[in-house]
Structure formats: C-alpha cells, structure tokens
Amino acid sequence: MIIAVLNQKGGVGKTTLAVNIAAILARNGRRPLLVDGDPQGSSLAWSSTRERAPLFPVVGMAKPTLHRDLPQIAQHYDDVIIDGAPRVNDLSRSAMLASDLVLIPVQPSPYDLWASLETVQLIREAQQFRPHLAATFVINRKIKNSALGRDFDGALAPLGMPVLPAHLQQRIVYAESAAQGLSVAEAAPRSEAVQELAALVVCIAGTSANQERRAA
C-alpha cells in the first residue's frame, strides 16, 4: 500500500502524521518506507535528529518523477508513506499518481477548509488517470470539547471526500517526540496519542481494503 499525505496548505501536520503512521505500522510488524517528497525535507531532518536505531528507512524523493521512480523501490516494503509537499502542484500530482490512497490532513479551522478545495481538485484530476485512487480527510490537531472540532466533519462534507472516523487531538507529545527524532509510539507508548494513532491506522487499513475490493 502506498499512502500519500498531502495538502496544498502548509502547517497542517503532514510530516507529523506521516512519521507517526509509519511508526505505528512498524510497531505492528509491517515494513514501512517513509518517502520525503517535500523539498523542505522535514522527514529527513527528523530522521537525522534521531539517535536510536531507525524504525524504518527514510529516503528523499522530492521530484516530479516520483510516480515513475517509486514502484521499483516500493516492492521491497509492505507500505510506503509519502510526506508530500505543499504549494508545489507538480510534486503533489506525482505523489498522487504513485499512490493507492491520499490522506488529506486538515485542522478544524475555516482556513484549512478553504485551502483544502485546491487539494481536492488535484485529486480529482489524478483520478482521471488513476480511477481507483482513494482519498480521505484526516482531522488533525482537534481541540477537545470545542464546537468547531465537533462540527468539522459536516463542514468538510460539501467537498465530496470522506472523513476518517478516527481523529487526532492537539497534543504536546507530538512536538516533544519530534524534537528527539522519536515517534510518539516510542516517546509515550501508552499515551492517548498512541491510541488515537493506532485507531487511525486501523481506519486507513479498512479504507485501503475497501478500495482494493472495488478495484478487483
């Protein structure tokens, strides 16, 4: 399974999500590869900060030929997670064309809602070439007990993409673990954040399985 984490808006938590999804997959016994498809290189920077043995390899592939170059590498792994670039359409398109599933992280804010439309439009274009490409929103950095957080699923509905039922709340452990080159599963293995991430990975697996059945 190749999963791209993409949003044309910056600062929505793409790298945090990509790193921690890969970590949960590794914890579950899978062999993930994390691909840094962003010229900013945040996933590579996280990996270089790390002092422990790597949980999974991280490679840089911030180029518009990603969809042609990745398949040969991907065959050696169970899962590939692409940490995509914001505001660079050719890189985003290439990541979409390489993928089975696109995750669109959004924070519960009007700005994220408005900015997500451009990402949805790019996905619709990519689906013309990859009809079985699936895409779904992931609500990230949700503020507990806030009205906007509770109602944001409905606000996303007009964009025509499903929303994963597992949401991630805003938690300081994400920043604290990243500063050490660690995943949340390593820094706080029994935390609520890890429980949320594990539930998210289960939802992702279910979405991928459904897509495979439709494509068969």
Side-chain angles (χ1 to χ4, degrees):
M1 177 170 58
I2 301 180
I3 302 167
V5 184
L6 294 168
N7 194 319
Q8 290 300 90
K9 181 179 183 297
V12 295
K14 290 186 297 296
T15 300
T16 297
L17 194 59
V19 164
N20 284 289
I21 287 173
I24 294 293
L25 289 168
R27 191 186 71 161
N28 291 349
R30 307 278 293 177
R31 292 177 303 143
L33 169 69
L34 179 58
V35 174
D36 195 330
D38 186 348
Q40 183 173 302
S42 297
S43 287
L44 288 169
W46 170 83
S47 180
S48 67
T49 302
R50 186 179 179 84
E51 295 181 357
R52 296 188 190 181
L55 286 175
F56 44 80
V58 183
V59 298
M61 296 184 73
K63 49 187 180 179
T65 57
L66 174 63
H67 60 291
R68 295 198 295 269
D69 301 335
L70 184 59
Q72 186 174 0
I73 300 171
Q75 64 184 335
H76 302 295
Y77 299 91
D78 295 321
D79 306 289
V80 177
I81 313 300
I82 303 171
D83 177 14
R87 299 180 297 275
V88 186
N89 285 2
D90 58 344
L91 297 182
S92 295
R93 288 192 185 96
S94 187
M96 290 174 188
L97 292 174
S99 300
D100 304 303
L101 172 65
V102 177
L103 301 180
I104 313 165
V106 287
Q107 300 172 110
S109 81
Y111 302 107
D112 280 46
L113 179 63
W114 301 329
S116 294
L117 180 58
E118 184 179 357
T119 305
V120 170
Q121 290 171 338
L122 286 175
I123 290 170
R124 296 300 187 204
E125 292 174 9
Q127 287 171 332
Q128 300 297 313
F129 301 94
R130 285 183 62 85
H132 300 301
L133 174 64
T136 183
F137 286 109
V138 178
I139 296 180
N140 191 30
R141 296 174 180 162
K142 182 177 179 180
I143 299 175
K144 190 175 182 180
N145 298 325
S146 67
L148 186 57
R150 287 193 301 271
D151 301 336
F152 200 58
D153 289 56
L156 289 168
L159 297 182
M161 293 282 177
V163 181
L164 284 185
H167 303 168
L168 302 181
Q169 293 191 32
Q170 182 169 303
R171 299 183 188 279
I172 191 65
V173 69
Y174 287 107
E176 290 177 340
S177 60
Q180 303 172 64
L182 298 177
S183 67
V184 173
E186 296 170 286
R190 297 180 181 175
S191 64
E192 291 182 343
V194 168
Q195 294 174 25
E196 291 171 359
L197 286 163
L200 182 69
V201 167
V202 169
C203 290
I204 291 169
T207 298
S208 178
N210 290 337
Q211 191 69 6
E212 287 175 1
R213 283 194 290 270
R214 288 194 291 269

